[in-house]
Amino acid sequence: MVFLGTPHHGSNLANLLNKLLAASMIGPSPKQYITDLAEDSPAIEDLNEQFRNVSGDLKIASFYETRYMFPGYKKLVRSLIDGVMVALTVVDCRQEFFRPWMPRRSTRLEKDDIKFLWHKLFIEALGQFKIDYPLYVVVDGLDECDSPQTLLGLFSLLPAHHSLRLIFTSRPTPALSIAFDKFSKSKPVTSIFSASNERDISMFVEKELQLMHGSLVLRRQVVDQVIQRASGNFLWVHLAVQEVLGCHTQDEIEHVLQDILPGMHLLYQRIEDGMAKNLKKTDQRLAKTLLTWVACSQRPLTLDELCKALEPDFPHLIDLQHTINQVCGNLLAIDRISRVTLIHQTAREYLIRISTGPFCVDPSQGQELLFLRCLSYLCDPLLRCQVEQSQPPVLLSYAANSWPFHLRAQSAESQEVIDALSNFLQNSSVLIWIKALAMQNSLKVLVQSSQALIAFSEKRRLLDSAVAPNLRPLRALESIELWSTDLVKIMGKFGRNLINTPEAIFKFVPQFCPRNSAIHQQFGRKRAFSVNVSGASYDKWDDNLAKLFAGAGSQALNVTCAGRYFWALTTSNFIIQWDSATCQEIRRLFHGEHVTVLAASSDGNNIASYGFRTTKVWDVSTGHEVCSISNPIDTRALSLAFVTGDTILLAGSDDKVI
């Protein structure tokens, strides 16, 4: 039998309580049962003496707190001592309570040095026991301790003990990172991060949602969604499961899985309050900038990309991974391939929509920050030389591909955005950017950029309708609108050439563009070109978007489009697939025989070709043949179509049979 309690030795507050009762209207005389609670009262001593007579056949260990409760880590230290002593000892206590380290009444433990107490009450006591089985000491929530450094320092004083195992659970904090670095110098440390709990989460969700009502198919879908959106966060999983079990419709379930759960809100608020309390001002500014970049970026940035992005405001960062763990390790995570992400998708929603603290993220300001940084990076005069290197610049891919995404989120009121766009489009930086996209085979970004420029120009024109003409940025808007047209035309007419020879954007393309186009006006009139074009009669772009090449001696018989692709059936029995946005050729499919009809599924994921002997279905994302079916003998299909949700393929043949 083990008692975990506080054997009462009485309190001098009993006399005070009796005096208060005597002075009140409750009763004129002191109460005897209160008098019995006085320190060293006969009643309490009698209880202790009587217990001896009934405890003869019991094995009892009684451990208890002192009358003073230590604050902070002292309280935790005393709790640890209590727990370990219970695990170590079951004492034959026939005559009196076992008090292995009970101080004399005159001793005030709270005034003693904590290291002295730790040595006397824990290390020496541990050394007295010879155990041949593992003894586990589990400290849960170490980050909530007032001084985790002190506590880990105490554990580092423990002598080598073959049976003692220490387990700490905690969120990463700056103080703990430093403390564990020091602790690992004296004791071997193995770290297990949250990424390792995916199997545990899956088992938990599977078990808990067995109680969910509904069909097995719905239950399976919900289980998969919860596991997919968990991001290693057990608290979110627990809260989501509880909410899902209380839902009555599928719409409710979807709303629960997408919204911030109340418990997560409180967790993020506590993390934010802790950061505001523990970080110095310069680190708070760095933490907010990090959170802004991660919350507003189009895709997760790597450590190297993020370090380069922060360079103008925070140059010469020593170790960004260490810095992230120090200043905002509770909100940011670094995955196996060094990408920096928020600990859960709900953290982004909290920072953007709910938080009002010092680390809240204003999405409009954040998008403007990232947009301006991308353009300033692309306008670097040294970038053209760096693009030529075998190892591309760290931030080039993100800046080149993502600035249109950030531009779409911009307010048309920002003059800084207009100035940055104007500067970018009116110097050679725009050509360097196009070359970089061609080298990355990402010319489809030109179409996205054109759409973003058009949308921004329309918003600004609408805003300027109430402004005097002399105050409108007419020249900048004209340049933006001209380039929005040029980008689409350049991609359509010269895309294939640029993929093969990216340098052509400087040497040839401007010369072949119409005289009134922005690219020709800015770069086509220079005399440094290796080729000069004369006799061009057109001043503006015509309606032709692109000219596509089917091959020498080959003609297109049929054109079909669906989703993001279109296909041409040629006389050479090839099916040519192009990207509908960039007009770039993706691949050529060979049926192996003469093909008469072509059909695409409504979602654009499959295409069917009806040949002389067989009909084949293709996966357009890979170009692989999905299946091949023998055709009816002596018939020729006149039409082909996917129906019933693209699950059935119908063929209408010349014998009037479907």
Side-chain angles (χ1 to χ4, degrees):
M1 180 180 296
V2 176
F3 282 96
L4 294 179
T6 306
H8 212 294
H9 292 279
S11 172
N12 55 14
L13 292 176
N15 294 328
L16 177 59
L17 180 57
N18 259 332
K19 292 178 181 180
L20 291 174
L21 291 175
S24 69
M25 297 180 62
I26 297 176
S29 61
K31 305 297 182 183
Q32 183 59 42
Y33 64 85
I34 296 178
T35 303
D36 291 340
L37 295 177
E39 192 169 5
D40 296 326
S41 71
I44 291 179
E45 291 186 1
D46 287 343
L47 286 174
N48 287 328
E49 292 297 326
Q50 292 171 16
F51 189 76
R52 295 182 183 182
N53 299 324
V54 299
S55 62
D57 297 328
L58 301 177
K59 288 187 176 182
I60 302 172
S62 180
F63 303 104
Y64 44 88
E65 302 151 346
T66 61
R67 287 166 293 173
Y68 180 81
M69 294 300 293
F70 295 125
Y73 65 87
K74 291 187 177 182
K75 180 179 178 181
L76 179 56
V77 168
R78 196 52 176 269
S79 299
L80 284 169
I81 294 172
D82 289 350
V84 173
M85 295 301 294
V86 170
L88 284 171
T89 312
V90 176
V91 181
D92 186 355
C93 185
R94 296 171 181 264
Q95 301 299 322
E96 58 182 310
F97 287 117
F98 176 61
R99 302 173 185 176
W101 39 265
M102 177 63 183
R104 295 186 299 271
R105 295 179 184 275
S106 60
T107 304
R108 299 289 296 186
L109 289 181
E110 65 273 13
K111 294 184 178 179
D112 290 340
D113 179 72
I114 190 63
K115 289 186 179 180
F116 172 78
L117 296 177
W118 180 261
H119 187 271
K120 298 295 290 184
L121 304 180
F122 191 88
I123 297 179
E124 289 188 3
L126 185 64
Q128 295 175 8
F129 294 92
K130 304 300 181 181
I131 54 176
D132 55 1
Y133 53 86
L135 174 63
Y136 291 92
V137 177
V138 181
V139 182
D140 185 31
L142 183 61
D143 54 302
E144 298 182 10
C145 178
D146 288 347
S147 181
Q149 304 97 319
T150 303
L151 183 61
L152 286 175
L154 294 175
F155 274 112
S156 67
L157 299 175
L158 289 173
H161 198 293
H162 70 281
S163 298
L164 187 62
R165 304 290 185 269
L166 305 177
I167 301 176
F168 300 94
T169 66
S170 172
R171 293 186 298 269
T173 66
L176 281 176
S177 298
I178 297 173
F180 274 109
D181 286 343
K182 294 180 179 178
F183 186 70
S184 63
K185 305 297 182 183
S186 60
K187 299 288 184 294
V189 175
T190 300
S191 300
I192 302 175
F193 298 98
S194 59
S196 304
N197 66 358
E198 295 176 359
R199 182 170 175 270
D200 297 330
I201 288 177
S202 179
M203 293 173 60
F204 173 80
V205 174
E206 293 275 3
K207 179 181 178 182
E208 292 297 315
L209 289 183
Q210 288 178 357
L211 304 176
M212 177 182 169
H213 296 282
S215 65
L216 292 177
V217 174
L218 174 62
R219 189 182 308 166
R220 183 72 258 168
Q221 291 175 349
V222 174
V223 168
D224 292 342
Q225 286 187 53
V226 172
I227 294 173
Q228 180 183 0
R229 301 184 186 188
S231 302
N233 193 307
F234 232 118
L235 175 60
W236 181 85
V237 171
H238 172 72
L239 295 172
V241 166
Q242 297 304 312
E243 291 290 329
V244 166
L245 291 176
C247 292
H248 300 286
T249 66
Q250 294 187 35
D251 291 339
E252 280 186 88
I253 294 175
E254 187 65 28
H255 177 73
V256 163
L257 296 180
Q258 291 184 350
D259 205 2
I260 298 181
L261 302 170
M264 297 299 292
H265 178 185
L266 297 176
L267 171 65
Y268 295 140
Q269 189 173 41
R270 190 170 72 171
I271 292 174
E272 189 178 18
D273 292 342
M275 292 170 60
K277 176 182 177 182
N278 298 322
L279 295 179
K280 55 187 179 182
K281 293 297 183 183
T282 53
D283 287 346
Q284 288 188 24
R285 176 171 166 263
L286 174 57
K288 180 161 185 175
T289 305
L290 282 167
L291 292 173
T292 300
W293 269 93
V294 176
C296 297
S297 59
Q298 184 182 19
R299 62 164 174 81
L301 295 165
T302 66
L303 284 169
D304 291 339
E305 289 175 329
L306 191 53
C307 188
K308 188 66 177 179
L310 296 173
E311 198 171 75
D313 299 319
F314 301 95
H316 312 303
L317 287 170
I318 300 173
D319 185 347
L320 182 58
Q321 182 171 357
H322 176 74
T323 298
I324 289 173
N325 291 331
Q326 289 285 303
V327 301
C328 45
N330 288 334
L331 288 174
L332 297 182
I334 302 171
D335 65 15
R336 296 184 182 91
I337 56 176
S338 298
R339 295 181 305 180
V340 185
T341 62
L342 288 161
I343 58 171
H344 194 261
Q345 64 265 28
T346 54
R348 180 182 183 275
E349 298 302 313
Y350 170 80
L351 292 172
I352 290 178
R353 287 174 25 205
I354 298 176
S355 174
T356 56
F359 302 101
C360 66
V361 175
D362 184 323
S364 59
Q365 293 180 2
Q367 294 291 349
E368 182 171 327
L369 169 68
L370 272 63
F371 170 77
L372 294 175
R373 178 67 183 113
C374 287
L375 284 197
S376 67
Y377 183 83
L378 293 173
C379 290
D380 186 342
L382 301 177
L383 185 61
R384 183 173 183 180
C385 299
Q386 296 171 351
V387 169
E388 301 289 347
Q389 299 174 0
S390 57
Q391 186 68 26
V394 172
L395 195 59
L396 178 60
S397 176
Y398 184 84
N401 288 272
S402 298
W403 72 259
F405 168 81
H406 298 300
L407 178 61
R408 282 186 172 275
Q410 296 306 307
S411 167
E413 300 176 2
S414 176
Q415 187 61 41
E416 194 172 2
V417 170
I418 293 178
D419 293 341
L421 266 178
S422 180
N423 178 56
F424 172 66
L425 295 174
Q426 293 180 13
N427 66 57
S428 60
S429 298
V430 66
L431 299 185
I432 299 172
W433 166 63
I434 295 174
K435 177 183 177 180
L437 292 178
M439 294 176 66
Q440 299 172 18
N441 198 14
S442 298
L443 288 178
K444 62 182 179 181
V445 177
L446 295 180
V447 178
Q448 299 168 5
S449 303
S450 173
Q451 295 169 346
L453 290 172
I454 292 173
F456 180 82
S457 176
E458 290 176 348
K459 287 191 292 185
R460 184 66 193 199
R461 292 284 190 187
L462 182 62
L463 186 67
D464 287 345
S465 61
V467 179
N470 60 326
L471 299 178
R472 301 174 186 173
L474 298 177
R475 183 179 178 184
L477 289 177
E478 182 181 0
S479 175
I480 290 172
E481 290 164 353
L482 285 174
W483 272 105
S484 68
T485 302
D486 286 3
L487 294 179
V488 176
K489 297 295 185 178
I490 290 170
M491 183 275 303
K493 292 184 177 296
F494 306 104
R496 186 162 56 89
N497 307 92
L498 288 173
I499 294 295
N500 296 329
T501 311
E503 190 66 22
I505 192 63
F506 296 101
K507 296 181 178 181
F508 306 112
V509 172
Q511 289 286 78
F512 284 93
C513 293
R515 287 189 291 266
N516 291 339
S517 64
I519 187 172
H520 185 87
Q521 290 180 2
Q522 293 175 212
F523 308 107
R525 299 175 180 177
K526 298 180 180 179
R527 298 180 179 179
F529 284 94
S530 57
V531 62
N532 291 319
V533 178
S534 60
S537 59
Y538 54 94
D539 294 329
K540 298 180 180 180
W541 294 107
D542 56 26
D543 293 333
N544 179 271
L545 179 62
K547 292 181 180 179
L548 306 177
F549 183 65
S554 182
Q555 296 179 351
L557 298 175
N558 187 1
V559 177
T560 301
C561 59
R564 52 176 297 196
Y565 303 110
F566 64 93
W567 300 264
L569 175 61
T570 66
T571 54
S572 57
N573 297 323
F574 278 101
I575 303 167
I576 307 177
Q577 179 180 343
W578 285 280
D579 188 300
S580 59
T582 63
C583 297
Q584 289 179 255
E585 183 177 321
I586 305 299
R587 62 176 57 86
R588 297 192 175 202
L589 307 175
F590 184 61
H591 189 104
E593 60 187 8
H594 179 66
V595 178
T596 58
V597 186
L598 203 62
S601 61
S602 60
D603 56 12
N605 293 330
N606 298 102
I607 188 171
S609 54
Y610 191 100
F612 181 69
R613 296 184 180 88
T614 60
T615 296
K616 295 184 178 182
V617 179
W618 310 83
D619 183 340
V620 300
S621 62
T622 62
H624 295 158
E625 180 182 311
V626 176
C627 63
S628 178
I629 309 166
S630 297
N631 295 335
I633 301 175
D634 296 332
T635 61
R636 182 173 65 90
L638 301 177
S639 63
L640 197 64
F642 285 89
V643 297
T644 317
D646 298 329
T647 60
I648 296 177
L649 182 64
L650 295 183
S653 58
D654 56 1
D655 60 356
K656 301 180 181 180
V657 174
I658 295 178

Coordinates of all heavy atoms in Angstrom, one line a residue, residues 70 73-74 77-78 112-119 150 154:
F70 N 7.1 24.7 -2.8 CA 8.1 25.4 -3.5 C 7.5 26.0 -4.8 O 6.8 25.3 -5.5 CB 9.3 24.5 -3.9 CG 10.0 24.0 -2.7 CD1 10.2 22.7 -2.5 CD2 10.5 24.9 -1.7 CE1 10.9 22.2 -1.4 CE2 11.2 24.4 -0.7 CZ 11.4 23.1 -0.5
Y73 N 10.5 25.7 -10.4 CA 11.2 24.4 -10.5 C 11.4 23.7 -9.2 O 11.6 22.5 -9.2 CB 12.5 24.6 -11.3 CG 13.5 25.5 -10.5 CD1 14.4 24.9 -9.6 CD2 13.6 26.8 -10.7 CE1 15.3 25.6 -8.9 CE2 14.5 27.6 -10.0 CZ 15.4 27.0 -9.1 OH 16.3 27.7 -8.4
K74 N 11.4 24.4 -8.1 CA 11.6 23.7 -6.8 C 10.4 22.8 -6.5 O 10.6 21.7 -6.0 CB 11.7 24.8 -5.7 CG 13.0 25.5 -5.7 CD 13.2 26.4 -4.5 CE 14.5 27.1 -4.5 NZ 14.7 28.0 -3.3
V77 N 11.0 19.8 -8.7 CA 12.1 19.0 -8.1 C 11.5 18.1 -7.0 O 11.8 16.9 -6.9 CB 13.2 19.8 -7.6 CG1 14.2 19.0 -6.8 CG2 14.0 20.4 -8.8
R78 N 10.7 18.8 -6.1 CA 10.2 18.0 -5.0 C 9.2 16.9 -5.4 O 9.2 15.8 -4.9 CB 9.5 18.9 -4.0 CG 9.2 18.3 -2.6 CD 10.6 17.7 -2.1 NE 10.4 17.2 -0.8 CZ 10.6 17.9 0.4 NH1 11.0 19.1 0.3 NH2 10.4 17.3 1.5
D112 N 17.0 26.5 1.6 CA 18.2 25.8 1.3 C 18.6 25.9 -0.1 O 17.7 26.1 -1.0 CB 18.1 24.3 1.7 CG 18.1 24.2 3.3 OD1 18.5 25.1 3.9 OD2 17.7 23.1 3.7
D113 N 19.9 25.8 -0.4 CA 20.3 25.8 -1.8 C 19.7 24.6 -2.5 O 19.8 23.4 -2.0 CB 21.8 25.7 -1.9 CG 22.3 25.7 -3.3 OD1 22.3 26.7 -4.0 OD2 22.8 24.6 -3.7
I114 N 19.2 24.8 -3.8 CA 18.5 23.7 -4.5 C 19.4 22.6 -4.8 O 19.1 21.4 -4.8 CB 17.8 24.3 -5.7 CG1 16.8 23.2 -6.3 CG2 18.8 24.7 -6.7 CD1 15.7 22.8 -5.4
K115 N 20.7 22.9 -5.1 CA 21.7 21.8 -5.5 C 22.0 20.9 -4.3 O 22.1 19.7 -4.4 CB 23.0 22.4 -6.0 CG 22.8 23.0 -7.4 CD 24.1 23.5 -8.0 CE 24.0 24.0 -9.4 NZ 25.3 24.5 -9.9
F116 N 22.0 21.6 -3.1 CA 22.2 20.8 -1.9 C 21.1 19.9 -1.6 O 21.3 18.7 -1.3 CB 22.4 21.8 -0.7 CG 22.5 21.1 0.7 CD1 23.6 20.4 1.1 CD2 21.3 21.1 1.5 CE1 23.6 19.8 2.3 CE2 21.4 20.5 2.7 CZ 22.5 19.8 3.1
L117 N 19.8 20.4 -1.8 CA 18.7 19.6 -1.6 C 18.6 18.4 -2.6 O 18.3 17.3 -2.2 CB 17.4 20.4 -1.7 CG 17.2 21.5 -0.7 CD1 15.9 22.3 -1.0 CD2 17.1 20.9 0.7
W118 N 19.0 18.7 -3.8 CA 18.9 17.7 -4.8 C 19.9 16.6 -4.5 O 19.7 15.4 -4.6 CB 19.3 18.3 -6.2 CG 19.3 17.4 -7.3 CD1 20.4 16.8 -7.9 CD2 18.2 16.9 -8.1 NE1 20.0 16.0 -8.9 CE2 18.6 16.0 -9.1 CE3 16.8 17.1 -8.0 CZ2 17.8 15.4 -10.0 CZ3 16.0 16.5 -8.9 CH2 16.5 15.6 -9.9
H119 N 21.1 17.0 -4.0 CA 22.1 16.0 -3.7 C 21.7 15.2 -2.5 O 21.9 13.9 -2.5 CB 23.5 16.7 -3.4 CG 24.6 15.8 -3.3 ND1 25.0 15.2 -2.0 CD2 25.5 15.2 -4.2 CE1 26.0 14.4 -2.2 NE2 26.4 14.4 -3.5
T150 N 17.8 25.1 -15.1 CA 18.2 24.7 -13.7 C 17.9 23.2 -13.5 O 18.7 22.5 -13.0 CB 17.5 25.6 -12.7 OG1 17.9 26.9 -12.9 CG2 18.0 25.1 -11.3
L154 N 20.4 20.1 -12.8 CA 20.4 19.1 -11.7 C 20.5 17.7 -12.2 O 21.2 16.9 -11.6 CB 19.1 19.4 -10.9 CG 19.0 20.7 -10.2 CD1 17.6 20.8 -9.5 CD2 20.1 20.9 -9.1

